[in-house]
Every structure is written in structure tokens, then in C-alpha cells.
Amino acid sequence: LMLTTQFRITSEQNIDPTRLRVDELIAALTDREAELATAEERIRALEREVSELRRSLNSPAQEAELERLRLLAGTTAVTGPGVVVTLSETPEAVTAKNRVADEDIWRVVNELYTAGAEAIAVGGVRLTSVSGIRNVGERILVGETMIAPPVEIHAIGDPAVLDASLKLRGGVIDLLARWGIKVTVVKSDSLTLPPLKTQPAFRYAKPAEAAGS
């Protein structure tokens, strides 16, 4: 019995603990890899379910409405015919300190919207219902982008109607000309306006249903 006990103790003492640790790590790694493979397969299955649900829920009418809302929100680039309006300062305007200002841009933008413009960008910045244009010294801030004259305004709509609206006798072009602001209008068969760089965050405005619940 003593010999048997001594043999067992000697055998246990000769076991390499490092080898045991490596074996444990390999077993644990194998288990984790199996769990990961199962999780990845579950994710792929859920993605397929989501795609199927989207296809089943989004009817052509819903897709069309969603696209219309994207256009109104300015979250997608748009292309179409329209006009390019440029506001520049004549030497007389600079001398008289009648620089291109935020209100001059708004006059042109409002005229374009009234004439049926469906999308407008000022200085490469897409306008939306919450866009701001204001003077900052001799420069102009459009949203979060600083621009300086000459200011280009791209508007998508019926080129002939937009052009005629700006050039009405006694209209916005004639008004700005009195102050030495030169306005040129170029019709185009194809313009591309960029989407918003940063989507606005609404903290107070909510859908009527959500606000009343």
C-alpha cells in the first residue's frame, strides 16, 4: 500500500502544469469558436428575416412616399433640370458697401420657391425647412458652412419658369441691381444637388400623434 501511494504521488508530481493550462485554453477556445459560429449564423438568419419583413411591409406606395420625404428632408442627392443663379458684387457695390448679404440670398431663394423650385442649394449647401442663412462679418454662414461672394444658388425645377420669375420687371433682379448686386441666371438641363452633410436633430418638434399621447 505504501509503495502504491508513493508511486501515485510521484506520478502526480511529474505532471506538467503548463501543459495542463494549454490544454484548458485550447478547449475553451474551441468552445468559444463554436459559440461564435452559432451566433453569426443567428445574426444572418435575423438579417434575412428583417429583409423579408421590409419587402413585405414596403408597398410601392410606401416606397414612393418614403422617397418623397427623403427629397423634402434633403437627406438624398437629387438631380434634374433647373437654373444656376450667381450673385456677385460690382465695384460700385463694394465702394458703397452694398455687399451681398443674407437677405439678398433669401430674396432669390424665396422667389425660386414661389416659382416652383423643388430643391435648392446655396454655396453647395442643401436647404431645408430648418436651414439658416446669416451674415458673419463680410462672409455668409449657410447652415454650418461659411461662404463668400460670388454666391451660387442651384435650383431644380422648370428652367423656363424659374428664369422668367427672377427676370420679372421690377422683380428681385431689378431690386438687387439698384444696390449694385449683379445677378446672372443660367438655365441647365441637368443639375445635381448634394444631400445634407448633417441631418438636423429635433428636440421639441414631434409628430402630432406622439405629442398628444
Coordinates of all heavy atoms in Angstrom, one line a residue, residues 152-199:
E152 N -23.3 81.2 -55.4 CA -24.0 80.4 -56.4 C -25.2 79.7 -55.8 O -25.1 79.1 -54.7 CB -23.1 79.4 -57.1 CG -22.2 79.9 -58.2 CD -21.6 78.9 -59.0 OE1 -21.8 77.7 -58.7 OE2 -21.0 79.2 -60.0
I153 N -26.4 79.8 -56.4 CA -27.6 79.2 -56.0 C -28.1 78.2 -57.0 O -28.3 78.6 -58.2 CB -28.7 80.2 -55.7 CG1 -28.2 81.2 -54.6 CG2 -30.0 79.5 -55.2 CD1 -29.2 82.4 -54.4
H154 N -28.1 76.9 -56.7 CA -28.6 75.9 -57.7 C -30.0 75.6 -57.3 O -30.3 75.3 -56.1 CB -27.7 74.7 -57.6 CG -26.3 74.9 -58.2 ND1 -25.4 75.7 -57.5 CD2 -25.7 74.4 -59.3 CE1 -24.3 75.7 -58.2 NE2 -24.5 75.0 -59.3
A155 N -30.9 75.6 -58.3 CA -32.3 75.3 -58.0 C -32.8 74.3 -59.1 O -32.6 74.5 -60.3 CB -33.2 76.6 -58.0
I156 N -33.5 73.3 -58.6 CA -34.1 72.3 -59.5 C -35.6 72.6 -59.7 O -36.3 72.8 -58.7 CB -33.8 70.9 -59.0 CG1 -32.4 70.5 -59.2 CG2 -34.7 69.9 -59.8 CD1 -32.0 69.1 -58.7
G157 N -36.0 72.7 -60.9 CA -37.4 72.9 -61.3 C -37.5 73.2 -62.8 O -36.5 72.9 -63.5
D158 N -38.6 73.8 -63.2 CA -38.7 74.1 -64.6 C -37.8 75.3 -64.9 O -38.1 76.4 -64.5 CB -40.2 74.5 -64.9 CG -40.5 74.7 -66.4 OD1 -39.6 75.2 -67.1 OD2 -41.6 74.3 -66.8
P159 N -36.8 75.1 -65.7 CA -35.8 76.1 -66.0 C -36.5 77.4 -66.6 O -36.1 78.5 -66.1 CB -34.9 75.5 -67.0 CG -35.0 74.1 -66.8 CD -36.4 73.8 -66.4
A160 N -37.4 77.3 -67.5 CA -38.0 78.4 -68.1 C -38.8 79.2 -67.1 O -38.8 80.5 -67.1 CB -38.9 78.0 -69.3
V161 N -39.6 78.5 -66.2 CA -40.4 79.2 -65.2 C -39.5 79.9 -64.2 O -39.8 81.1 -63.8 CB -41.4 78.2 -64.6 CG1 -42.1 78.9 -63.4 CG2 -42.3 77.6 -65.6
L162 N -38.5 79.2 -63.7 CA -37.6 79.8 -62.7 C -36.9 81.0 -63.3 O -36.8 82.1 -62.6 CB -36.6 78.8 -62.3 CG -37.1 77.5 -61.6 CD1 -36.0 76.6 -61.2 CD2 -37.9 77.9 -60.3
D163 N -36.4 80.9 -64.5 CA -35.7 82.0 -65.2 C -36.7 83.2 -65.3 O -36.3 84.4 -65.0 CB -35.2 81.6 -66.5 CG -34.5 82.7 -67.3 OD1 -33.3 83.1 -66.8 OD2 -35.0 83.2 -68.3
A164 N -37.9 83.0 -65.8 CA -38.8 84.1 -66.1 C -39.2 84.7 -64.7 O -39.4 86.0 -64.7 CB -40.0 83.5 -66.8
S165 N -39.4 83.9 -63.7 CA -39.8 84.5 -62.4 C -38.7 85.5 -61.9 O -39.1 86.5 -61.3 CB -40.0 83.4 -61.4 OG -40.4 83.9 -60.1
L166 N -37.5 85.1 -62.0 CA -36.4 86.0 -61.5 C -36.3 87.3 -62.3 O -35.9 88.3 -61.8 CB -35.1 85.3 -61.5 CG -35.0 84.1 -60.5 CD1 -33.7 83.3 -60.7 CD2 -35.0 84.6 -59.0
K167 N -36.6 87.2 -63.6 CA -36.4 88.3 -64.5 C -37.7 89.1 -64.7 O -37.7 90.0 -65.7 CB -35.9 87.8 -65.9 CG -34.5 87.1 -65.8 CD -34.1 86.6 -67.1 CE -32.6 86.0 -67.0 NZ -32.2 85.4 -68.3
L168 N -38.7 89.0 -63.9 CA -39.9 89.8 -64.0 C -39.5 91.3 -63.8 O -38.6 91.6 -63.0 CB -40.9 89.4 -62.9 CG -41.6 88.1 -63.1 CD1 -42.5 87.8 -61.9 CD2 -42.5 88.2 -64.3
R169 N -40.1 92.2 -64.6 CA -39.8 93.6 -64.4 C -40.2 94.1 -63.0 O -41.3 93.8 -62.5 CB -40.7 94.4 -65.5 CG -40.4 95.9 -65.4 CD -41.2 96.6 -66.6 NE -40.7 96.1 -67.9 CZ -41.2 96.6 -69.0 NH1 -42.2 97.5 -69.0 NH2 -40.7 96.2 -70.2
G170 N -39.3 94.7 -62.4 CA -39.5 95.2 -61.1 C -39.3 94.1 -60.0 O -39.6 94.3 -58.9
G171 N -38.8 92.9 -60.5 CA -38.6 91.8 -59.6 C -37.3 91.8 -58.8 O -36.6 92.9 -58.7
V172 N -36.9 90.7 -58.4 CA -35.7 90.6 -57.5 C -34.4 91.0 -58.1 O -33.6 91.7 -57.5 CB -35.6 89.1 -56.9 CG1 -35.3 88.1 -58.0 CG2 -34.5 89.1 -55.8
I173 N -34.3 90.7 -59.4 CA -33.0 91.1 -60.1 C -32.9 92.6 -60.2 O -31.9 93.2 -60.0 CB -32.9 90.4 -61.5 CG1 -32.7 88.9 -61.3 CG2 -31.8 91.0 -62.3 CD1 -32.5 88.1 -62.6
D174 N -34.0 93.2 -60.6 CA -34.1 94.7 -60.7 C -33.8 95.3 -59.4 O -33.1 96.4 -59.3 CB -35.4 95.1 -61.3 CG -35.5 94.8 -62.8 OD1 -34.5 94.5 -63.4 OD2 -36.7 94.9 -63.3
L175 N -34.4 94.7 -58.3 CA -34.2 95.3 -57.0 C -32.7 95.2 -56.6 O -32.2 96.2 -56.1 CB -35.1 94.5 -56.0 CG -35.0 94.9 -54.5 CD1 -35.4 96.4 -54.3 CD2 -35.8 94.0 -53.6
L176 N -32.1 94.1 -56.7 CA -30.7 94.0 -56.3 C -29.8 94.8 -57.2 O -28.7 95.3 -56.7 CB -30.3 92.5 -56.4 CG -31.0 91.5 -55.4 CD1 -30.5 90.1 -55.6 CD2 -30.8 92.0 -54.0
A177 N -30.1 95.0 -58.5 CA -29.3 95.8 -59.3 C -29.2 97.3 -58.8 O -28.2 98.0 -59.0 CB -29.9 95.8 -60.8
R178 N -30.2 97.8 -58.2 CA -30.2 99.1 -57.6 C -29.1 99.3 -56.6 O -28.6 100.4 -56.3 CB -31.6 99.5 -56.9 CG -32.7 99.5 -57.9 CD -34.0 99.7 -57.1 NE -35.2 99.5 -57.9 CZ -36.4 99.5 -57.4 NH1 -36.6 99.8 -56.1 NH2 -37.5 99.4 -58.2
W179 N -28.8 98.2 -55.9 CA -27.7 98.2 -54.9 C -26.4 97.8 -55.4 O -25.4 97.6 -54.6 CB -28.2 97.3 -53.7 CG -29.5 97.8 -53.1 CD1 -29.9 99.0 -53.0 CD2 -30.5 96.9 -52.6 NE1 -31.2 99.0 -52.4 CE2 -31.5 97.8 -52.1 CE3 -30.6 95.6 -52.4 CZ2 -32.7 97.3 -51.6 CZ3 -31.7 95.0 -51.8 CH2 -32.8 95.9 -51.4
G180 N -26.3 97.6 -56.7 CA -25.0 97.2 -57.3 C -24.7 95.7 -57.2 O -23.6 95.2 -57.5
I181 N -25.8 94.9 -56.9 CA -25.6 93.4 -56.9 C -26.0 92.9 -58.2 O -27.1 93.0 -58.7 CB -26.5 92.8 -55.8 CG1 -26.2 93.4 -54.4 CG2 -26.2 91.3 -55.7 CD1 -24.8 93.3 -53.9
K182 N -25.0 92.2 -58.9 CA -25.3 91.7 -60.2 C -25.8 90.2 -60.1 O -25.2 89.4 -59.4 CB -24.0 91.7 -61.1 CG -24.2 91.1 -62.5 CD -22.9 91.2 -63.2 CE -23.1 90.6 -64.6 NZ -21.8 90.6 -65.4
V183 N -26.9 89.9 -60.8 CA -27.5 88.6 -60.7 C -27.5 88.0 -62.1 O -28.0 88.6 -63.1 CB -28.9 88.6 -60.2 CG1 -29.5 87.2 -60.1 CG2 -28.9 89.3 -58.8
T184 N -26.9 86.8 -62.3 CA -26.9 86.1 -63.6 C -27.6 84.8 -63.4 O -27.5 84.2 -62.4 CB -25.5 85.9 -64.1 OG1 -24.8 85.1 -63.2 CG2 -24.7 87.2 -64.4
V185 N -28.4 84.4 -64.4 CA -29.2 83.2 -64.4 C -28.8 82.4 -65.6 O -28.9 82.8 -66.7 CB -30.7 83.5 -64.4 CG1 -31.5 82.2 -64.3 CG2 -31.0 84.5 -63.3
V186 N -28.4 81.1 -65.3 CA -28.1 80.2 -66.4 C -29.0 79.0 -66.3 O -29.0 78.3 -65.3 CB -26.6 79.8 -66.4 CG1 -26.3 78.7 -67.5 CG2 -25.7 81.0 -66.5
K187 N -29.7 78.7 -67.4 CA -30.6 77.5 -67.4 C -29.8 76.3 -67.6 O -28.8 76.3 -68.4 CB -31.7 77.7 -68.4 CG -32.7 78.7 -68.0 CD -33.8 78.8 -69.1 CE -33.4 79.5 -70.3 NZ -34.5 79.8 -71.3
S188 N -30.2 75.1 -67.0 CA -29.4 73.9 -67.2 C -30.4 72.7 -67.4 O -31.5 72.7 -66.7 CB -28.5 73.7 -66.0 OG -27.9 72.4 -66.1
D189 N -30.0 71.8 -68.2 CA -30.9 70.6 -68.4 C -30.6 69.5 -67.3 O -31.4 68.6 -67.1 CB -30.6 69.9 -69.8 CG -31.1 70.8 -70.9 OD1 -32.0 71.6 -70.7 OD2 -30.5 70.8 -72.0
S190 N -29.5 69.7 -66.6 CA -29.2 68.7 -65.6 C -28.3 69.3 -64.5 O -27.2 69.7 -64.7 CB -28.4 67.5 -66.2 OG -28.1 66.5 -65.2
L191 N -28.8 69.3 -63.3 CA -28.1 69.8 -62.1 C -28.2 68.7 -61.1 O -29.1 67.9 -61.0 CB -28.8 71.0 -61.5 CG -28.8 72.3 -62.4 CD1 -29.5 73.4 -61.6 CD2 -27.3 72.8 -62.6
T192 N -27.1 68.6 -60.2 CA -27.1 67.7 -59.1 C -26.9 68.4 -57.8 O -25.9 69.1 -57.7 CB -26.0 66.6 -59.3 OG1 -26.3 65.9 -60.6 CG2 -26.0 65.6 -58.2
L193 N -27.8 68.2 -56.9 CA -27.6 68.9 -55.6 C -27.3 67.9 -54.6 O -27.8 66.8 -54.5 CB -29.0 69.6 -55.2 CG -29.2 71.0 -55.8 CD1 -29.2 71.0 -57.3 CD2 -30.5 71.5 -55.3
P194 N -26.3 68.2 -53.7 CA -25.9 67.2 -52.7 C -26.9 67.1 -51.5 O -27.7 67.9 -51.3 CB -24.6 67.9 -52.1 CG -24.9 69.4 -52.3 CD -25.7 69.5 -53.5
P195 N -26.8 66.0 -50.8 CA -27.7 65.8 -49.6 C -27.1 66.7 -48.5 O -26.0 67.2 -48.6 CB -27.6 64.3 -49.3 CG -26.2 64.0 -49.8 CD -25.9 64.8 -51.0
L196 N -27.8 66.8 -47.4 CA -27.4 67.4 -46.2 C -26.1 66.7 -45.7 O -26.1 65.5 -45.6 CB -28.4 67.4 -45.1 CG -29.6 68.4 -45.3 CD1 -30.6 68.2 -44.2 CD2 -29.1 69.9 -45.2
K197 N -25.1 67.5 -45.2 CA -24.0 66.9 -44.6 C -24.3 66.4 -43.2 O -23.8 65.4 -42.8 CB -22.8 67.9 -44.5 CG -22.3 68.3 -45.9 CD -21.2 69.3 -45.7 CE -20.6 69.8 -47.1 NZ -19.5 70.8 -46.9
T198 N -25.1 67.2 -42.5 CA -25.5 66.8 -41.1 C -27.0 66.9 -41.0 O -27.6 68.0 -41.3 CB -24.9 67.7 -40.1 OG1 -23.5 67.7 -40.2 CG2 -25.2 67.3 -38.7
Q199 N -27.7 65.8 -40.7 CA -29.1 65.8 -40.5 C -29.5 66.6 -39.3 O -28.9 66.4 -38.2 CB -29.7 64.4 -40.5 CG -29.4 63.7 -41.8 CD -30.1 62.3 -41.8 OE1 -31.1 62.1 -41.1 NE2 -29.7 61.4 -42.7

